[in-house]
Amino acid sequence: MQSPMPLVVILATGGTIAGTAAASTDTTGYRAGALGADALIAAVPALADHLLESESVAAIDSKDMDAATWQRLAARVAHHVARPEVAGVVITHGTDTLEETAYFLQRVLAPAKPVVLTAAMRPASALSPDGPANLLDAVTVAECAEARGVSVVFAGAAWAALGLRKVHTLQTSAFAGSDCGPIARLEGGTLRRFRAWPGGEALGLARIAAPAQSWPQVEIVLNHAGADGRLVDAAVASGVAGLVVAGTGHGSTSARLDAALERARAASVRVTRASRCAFGPVLARDARDGEAAGELSAVQARVELQLQLLGTR
Ligand code: SIN
């Protein structure tokens, strides 16, 4: 007997993959999130014989991603993953905050089935859009019986969320991992796997159940030549619960920024030390250092700190 076709649910959130411009030659001046999931699927003839369902969760440019949308998205992903007939979920998203959403979903849901985020650098109306091939590859991973956890499929590779970064403003190979390569490559519809799919324990939907407007505020500050810590003092005065400092090199901060961070800690503000470098971890050296971001980029460390703070309420 033939095994049944795997069912994949496609959740659309917007982004350039669903963007349209007035001219096919325009790859920067377009409206993100203009097309729904059905239009994205229809643009990929090879998806015609796949078993797909689709749903729109949002239609935004991902620069505007926020906690309320994450709550909605996580709830819909959890709903579909729990359906026995669903093999996996694909999320179409903008590239700009993709690494944050992917990390958020992995920490909250750590799904036992594949949940695959994908995106595009060129709008759907471009002369040669990259979205259709990325969507087809994402569906391939979502249908894969051995895949699990949240991954990002982009430009022929599947990446774990941890440490993933958008590294280019325009090129179609816009993502790179920190010190690890991709989980797998997709070549002509075939998956060549190099490392394990993401695992770990889920924090659970209860962790993110508080109204989005009440989530603890966590901001990112940067060390740079002349950094004097005044933004840290202003953030503390405005009531932030946490700060991520994107330090220089291995997370270092100027003497004046360091002093301001010390004042923040004394005011019970949690501080995570990350780096403004494109790649490489920030390791904990001693207790005085505060919390180190490890492999996480500064923006992912912000998500992690917010999730931890939600767990201390
Ligand atoms: C967005 O992040 O929604 C716009 C940019 C992109 O998808 O590449």
Side-chain angles (χ1 to χ4, degrees):
M1 206 175 74
Q2 244 190 337
S3 55
M5 188 84 178
L7 169 63
V8 172
V9 178
I10 300 186
L11 301 179
T13 69
T16 295
I17 191 168
T20 53
S24 63
T25 47
D26 192 349
T27 54
T28 53
Y30 55 85
R31 188 163 71 85
L35 301 176
D38 290 345
L40 302 187
I41 295 166
V44 189
L47 285 177
D49 54 1
H50 291 247
L51 193 54
L52 305 173
E53 278 180 19
S54 67
E55 182 180 317
S56 174
V57 176
I60 60 171
D61 186 316
S62 79
K63 69 181 172 54
D64 296 316
M65 185 52 72
D66 57 17
T69 311
W70 276 346
Q71 281 178 319
R72 263 200 332 276
L73 181 60
R76 294 315 291 157
V77 172
H79 166 80
H80 289 298
V81 163
R83 292 169 57 197
E85 70 276 24
V86 170
V89 172
V90 168
I91 301 168
T92 57
H93 197 285
T95 58
D96 286 343
T97 55
L98 187 70
E99 67 216 63
E100 287 156 80
T101 300
Y103 183 72
F104 174 82
L105 291 175
Q106 176 61 28
R107 288 291 280 135
V108 173
L109 300 174
K113 291 179 184 175
V115 172
V116 188
L117 286 94
T118 196
M121 288 297 283
R122 295 182 185 151
S125 54
L127 220 42
S128 61
D130 52 330
N134 287 344
L135 183 57
L136 183 60
D137 283 346
V139 170
T140 302
V141 174
E143 288 172 341
C144 176
E146 62 135 43
R148 53 176 289 130
V150 177
S151 59
V152 171
V153 166
F154 204 85
W159 298 90
L162 182 80
L164 187 70
R165 286 129 160 97
K166 181 173 177 180
V167 292
H168 204 280
T169 54
L170 292 172
Q171 286 176 5
T172 51
S173 279
F175 286 89
S178 183
D179 288 332
C180 285
I183 300 169
R185 289 205 180 274
L186 288 117
E187 288 140 351
T190 303
L191 206 69
R192 194 156 54 97
R193 186 163 68 80
F194 311 114
R195 57 188 86 252
W197 295 100
E201 270 194 29
L203 296 173
L205 287 175
R207 174 68 64 103
I208 60 160
Q213 65 275 13
S214 74
W215 284 21
Q217 188 67 19
V218 179
E219 295 292 339
I220 301 175
V221 292
L222 195 71
N223 190 40
H224 52 82
D228 62 7
R230 80 178 67 182
L231 284 183
V232 170
D233 292 331
V236 173
S238 79
V240 292
L243 287 168
V244 172
V245 57
T248 29
H250 184 239
S252 59
T253 42
S254 72
R256 286 190 294 171
L257 180 51
D258 217 21
L261 291 170
E262 216 36 72
R263 289 194 290 279
R265 285 190 196 97
S268 301
V269 172
R270 290 262 302 269
V271 178
T272 300
R273 206 162 47 82
S275 175
R276 67 178 212 182
C277 288
F279 296 119
V282 173
L283 308 172
R285 290 174 301 206
D286 56 48
R288 205 203 138 268
D289 265 349
E291 295 154 273
E295 290 286 325
L296 300 176
S297 62
V299 292
Q300 290 181 331
R302 196 194 80 84
V303 174
E304 176 63 32
L305 185 50
Q306 202 166 38
L307 289 171
Q308 286 183 19
L309 287 163
L310 279 167
T312 60
R313 291 172 147 197

